[in-house]
């Protein structure tokens, strides 16, 4: 697979880079790079599929607009896989964490808004790629965090290959306790249902 590396530079434009292992030299070589414009954070979240041919990253403009870009390698070039994914809700933008499934055709993305009403509650969106329309389509409902300042999905996300089970981490900054939530998708109701919630544990983070 193609390892991926990303970082922000001095003007906060950010870069997302793809590296591939050279079998002759046994060294990683940069094969692709995306560079954002000033204050366009092209590296807020990064994920790559198991084959290393599909990559997704979050791009924000001054933390008030932006979306998820997905690219697929065809053996020669990296091409856009569908249009940019956006929340479609005014004032809500994707934050800094996302995860592709193994095959790169489903994705879970975190939204974390610091408005007076939400106060970093957090929510997650799941999308799947439609080969029929050539775009990303939301799968099921938006999954909300349990309470304000729960930072739902900020620190950990997991999605299985079939994209019918997701795991979302939640960390409450006030009591420094965290929980893990597991949801199962129902095709009958087109909703994500809570399967399990772990007991709150005190975090070692300071």
């Amino acid at each position: 697979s193609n390892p991926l590396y990303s970082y922000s530079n001095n003007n906060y434009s950010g870069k997302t880079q793809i590296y591939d292992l050279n079998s002759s030299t046994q060294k990683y070589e940069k094969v692709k790079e995306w560079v954002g414009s000033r204050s366009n954070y092209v590296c807020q979240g990064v994920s790559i599929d198991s084959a290393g041919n599909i990559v997704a990253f979050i791009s924000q403009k001054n933390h008030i607009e932006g979306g998820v870009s997905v690219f697929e390698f065809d053996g020669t070039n990296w091409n856009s896989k569908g249009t940019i994914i956006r929340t479609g809700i005014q004032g809500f933008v994707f934050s800094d964490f996302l995860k592709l499934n193994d095959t790169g055709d489903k994705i879970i993305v975190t939204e974390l808004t610091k408005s007076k009403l939400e106060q970093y509650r957090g929510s997650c969106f799941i999308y799947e790629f439609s080969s029929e329309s050539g775009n990303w389509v939301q799968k099921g409902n938006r999954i909300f965090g349990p309470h304000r300042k729960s930072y739902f999905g900020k620190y950990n996300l997991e999605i299985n290959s079939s994209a019918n089970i997701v795991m979302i981490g939640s960390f409450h900054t006030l009591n420094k306790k965290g929980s893990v939530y597991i949801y199962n998708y129902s095709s009958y109701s087109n909703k994500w249902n809570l399967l399990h919630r772990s007991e709150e544990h005190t975090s070692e983070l300071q």
Side-chain angles (χ1 to χ4, degrees):
S1 63
N2 294 1
L4 186 146
Y5 171 70
S6 67
Y7 67 98
S8 289
N9 58 17
N10 291 334
N11 65 3
Y12 301 105
S13 64
K15 294 181 181 180
T16 296
Q17 301 169 321
I18 299 287
Y19 287 79
D20 202 4
L21 180 64
N22 185 315
S23 57
S24 299
T25 64
Q26 289 297 302
K27 293 182 179 181
Y28 286 107
E29 299 176 351
K30 185 172 67 177
V31 295
K32 179 63 180 177
E33 178 180 78
W34 292 270
V35 182
S37 57
R38 183 174 180 83
S39 296
N40 187 21
Y41 303 77
V42 184
C43 63
Q44 290 294 100
V46 179
S47 184
I48 196 164
D49 74 326
S50 59
N53 292 322
I54 299 175
V55 62
F57 54 82
I58 297 173
S59 174
Q60 288 186 6
K61 182 68 174 178
N62 295 323
H63 300 291
I64 58 173
E65 59 180 290
V68 177
S69 299
V70 185
F71 292 86
E72 184 170 16
F73 187 61
D74 63 7
T76 304
N77 299 307
W78 288 88
N79 306 303
S80 295
K81 188 176 179 71
T83 56
I84 295 176
I85 307 170
R86 305 184 192 278
T87 65
I89 306 171
Q90 187 175 4
F92 291 83
V93 297
F94 295 125
S95 56
D96 49 7
F97 211 83
L98 77 169
K99 190 69 177 287
L100 283 166
N101 67 337
D102 290 344
T103 52
D105 58 353
K106 281 95 175 175
I107 189 171
I108 180 170
V109 195
T110 298
E111 165 278 318
L112 200 65
T113 301
K114 63 178 180 179
S115 67
K116 184 177 181 180
L117 178 63
E118 294 294 325
Q119 291 187 0
Y120 298 109
R121 177 184 184 185
S123 64
C124 292
F125 296 76
I126 295 89
Y127 299 89
E128 58 184 343
F129 185 75
S130 168
S131 55
E132 184 176 332
S133 66
N135 273 313
W136 295 88
V137 179
Q138 186 173 338
K139 182 174 182 175
N141 55 295
R142 176 183 175 191
I143 307 175
F144 289 91
H147 43 65
R148 294 178 181 180
K149 295 186 179 180
S150 61
Y151 289 85
F152 196 61
K154 178 176 175 60
Y155 296 100
N156 199 13
L157 293 173
E158 293 293 340
I159 183 170
N160 69 339
S161 297
S162 302
N164 59 0
I165 296 178
V166 297
M167 182 185 76
I168 305 170
S170 175
F171 174 68
H172 200 300
T173 56
L174 295 180
N175 60 17
K176 297 189 181 297
K177 290 184 177 182
S179 297
V180 173
Y181 295 78
I182 300 175
Y183 294 84
N184 180 65
Y185 175 73
S186 168
S187 57
Y188 176 76
S189 62
N190 190 32
K191 289 185 178 180
W192 291 93
N193 301 309
L194 181 63
L195 277 181
H196 176 75
R197 172 187 177 274
S198 71
E199 295 297 324
E200 285 193 335
H201 295 285
T202 302
S203 171
E204 295 180 358
L205 296 177
Q206 299 297 322

